[in-house]
Amino acid sequence: MMKCKHLSKVALLTFGFATTAVQAADAICYNCPPEWANWGGQLVEIKKELDISVPMDNKNSGQALSQLVAEKNSPVADVVYYGVSFGINAAEQGVVESYQPANWDQIPEGLKDPEGKWFAIHSGTMGFFVNADALDGADVPQSWNDLLKPEYRGMVGYLDPTSAFVGYASAVAVNEAMGGDLDNFTPAIEYFQQLKKNRPMVPRQTAYARVISGEIPILLDYDFNAYRAKYNDMANIEFVIPAEGSIVVPYVMSAVKNSPNQENGRKVLDYVLSEKGQQHWAEAYLRPVIAGTMSEETQSKFLPDTDYERAVTVDFGKMAEAQNHFAERYLNEVN
């Protein structure tokens, strides 16, 4: 096992956590940022229940996968969390291993790799995370086309779709809503070209705090972040599933191949799919992958089911296959 005390300061900064946290770690998770999906709270529970210390990590999905590939011959991470398309790509690149965690049989087909190289832990619905106080008197937008209007100039943000999974998911969502499909991303490319004229902000990392502060009044993001801001941080937040439609997508985890702390990593994966772990996700307004773990009280805080009827699923394997092609088009035609 690699002794963290021998890592250079530069390496520690690259990994994204403080020296003291790395030295105290019992397992390493890539892309477990404290402000995203309340990973901060989940890692506290993991320490409390399992006595396993897992440092928070602010990579996005693309950065996490790139790091795993770079470290393939000498892995640092034990587990990884990312959007489903990145999980599929990680399995194809041979950086994760098969593991069937607790409650494996209760994970629906289509939401897990048959060999256990990735598996969903929760899902979210793409829409508009809106700070109503930061709109300068404009109405809360209700559609994708609304975001192109001049009154929202400089107010819209979306994560970099060539790196962050939530950014790619937003591109798939708008593409489907505008009549495209996973074989044809032209509607999304044309949409982002139009949106570029409205001076959008395109951060690479989770931008939750920037919405709360009003710096980004409208962020293309998931329902769980908006509900957390509304009910936990008590901000004047609205979540909107656009009138033209959207998508529902899972977030998945994997065990890293040849990881230094394999046993602890597997315990972490078991925990996030345990009843307690799944209830934590539900309390953070994510839809748990294990049925029956969300309370009626939490469910009541979501938009009505009639709104969620506008959000559909897609072929996640095909979504993964199309990702690089979309990224190339975005870089060449939008960025």
Side-chain angles (χ1 to χ4, degrees):
M1 174 179 168
M2 180 183 291
K3 297 296 185 182
C4 294
K5 64 182 180 180
H6 296 310
L7 293 173
S8 70
K9 183 177 181 181
V10 172
L12 291 170
L13 291 174
T14 300
F15 298 150
F17 24 79
T19 306
T20 54
V22 175
Q23 290 176 337
D26 298 312
I28 299 297
C29 176
Y30 278 174
N31 187 25
C32 295
E35 291 186 346
W36 180 267
N38 198 16
W39 263 109
Q42 186 74 290
L43 297 181
V44 169
E45 290 301 309
I46 288 170
K47 175 62 176 176
K48 176 182 174 182
E49 296 289 333
L50 306 180
D51 196 27
I52 293 175
S53 297
V54 183
M56 300 172 190
D57 180 74
N58 281 314
K59 295 178 186 65
N60 63 32
S61 294
Q63 291 165 341
L65 178 55
S66 295
Q67 194 87 18
L68 292 180
V69 172
E71 298 165 351
K72 186 174 182 178
N73 295 327
S74 184
V76 173
D78 302 294
V79 298
V80 57
Y81 166 84
Y82 33 27
V84 60
S85 64
F86 285 93
I88 294 170
N89 285 332
E92 292 173 349
Q93 296 199 50
V95 294
V96 294
E97 64 184 12
S98 300
Y99 180 62
Q100 296 184 2
N103 291 323
W104 169 261
D105 293 340
Q106 296 186 52
I107 303 173
E109 296 301 321
L111 294 179
K112 58 186 175 184
D113 172 65
E115 297 180 2
K117 292 185 176 179
W118 58 265
F119 34 83
I121 61 171
H122 55 230
S123 64
T125 297
M126 179 60 59
F128 306 158
F129 174 8
V130 183
N131 184 332
D133 289 338
L135 294 179
D136 292 334
D139 293 332
V140 173
Q142 298 297 313
S143 69
W144 293 106
N145 282 322
D146 280 349
L147 301 186
L148 305 177
K149 295 178 179 179
E151 55 260 46
Y152 301 110
R153 182 177 177 85
M155 292 188 178
V156 180
Y158 62 91
L159 268 67
D160 181 356
T162 69
S163 179
F165 179 73
V166 61
Y168 178 49
S170 69
V172 173
V174 71
N175 192 59
E176 295 280 329
M178 296 299 169
D181 58 37
L182 294 170
D183 293 315
N184 174 26
F185 272 97
T186 297
I189 295 297
E190 292 178 345
Y191 181 84
F192 284 119
Q193 288 171 338
Q194 294 179 65
L195 186 60
K196 188 174 183 179
K197 299 173 184 177
N198 240 7
R199 296 176 55 193
M201 291 164 275
V202 189
R204 294 179 65 85
Q205 308 286 5
T206 179
Y208 180 90
R210 296 174 70 180
V211 181
I212 298 296
S213 70
E215 180 187 351
I216 301 178
I218 305 164
L219 183 67
L220 307 188
D221 203 353
Y222 292 111
D223 51 354
F224 54 83
N225 278 330
Y227 296 145
R228 175 187 165 204
K230 182 180 181 72
Y231 296 111
N232 292 14
D233 290 327
M234 307 302 291
N236 187 12
I237 298 297
E238 298 290 340
F239 178 70
V240 177
I241 299 175
E244 304 95 336
S246 188
I247 63 170
V248 179
V249 290
Y251 273 72
V252 308
M253 292 192 74
S254 304
V256 176
K257 188 174 183 179
N258 298 322
S259 71
N261 304 293
Q262 184 186 72
E263 183 178 352
N264 284 346
R266 290 182 172 186
K267 287 178 181 179
V268 169
L269 295 175
D270 288 343
Y271 184 80
V272 298
L273 281 159
S274 69
E275 183 175 352
K276 283 186 177 180
Q278 289 285 288
Q279 286 174 348
H280 176 88
W281 299 131
E283 290 167 0
Y285 310 107
L286 298 112
R287 291 194 183 271
V289 72
I290 306 301
T293 50
M294 180 181 286
S295 69
E296 290 184 7
E297 180 183 359
T298 300
Q299 181 68 56
S300 70
K301 295 178 179 179
F302 282 60
L303 289 177
D305 289 344
T306 51
D307 284 63
Y308 278 95
E309 288 173 1
R310 297 196 294 276
V312 299
T313 57
V314 297
D315 182 331
F316 300 120
K318 198 166 186 178
M319 183 176 174
E321 291 174 3
Q323 188 165 8
N324 288 339
H325 174 68
F326 167 78
E328 289 175 4
R329 287 199 63 185
Y330 179 90
L331 288 171
N332 290 330
E333 300 176 50
V334 180
N335 199 26

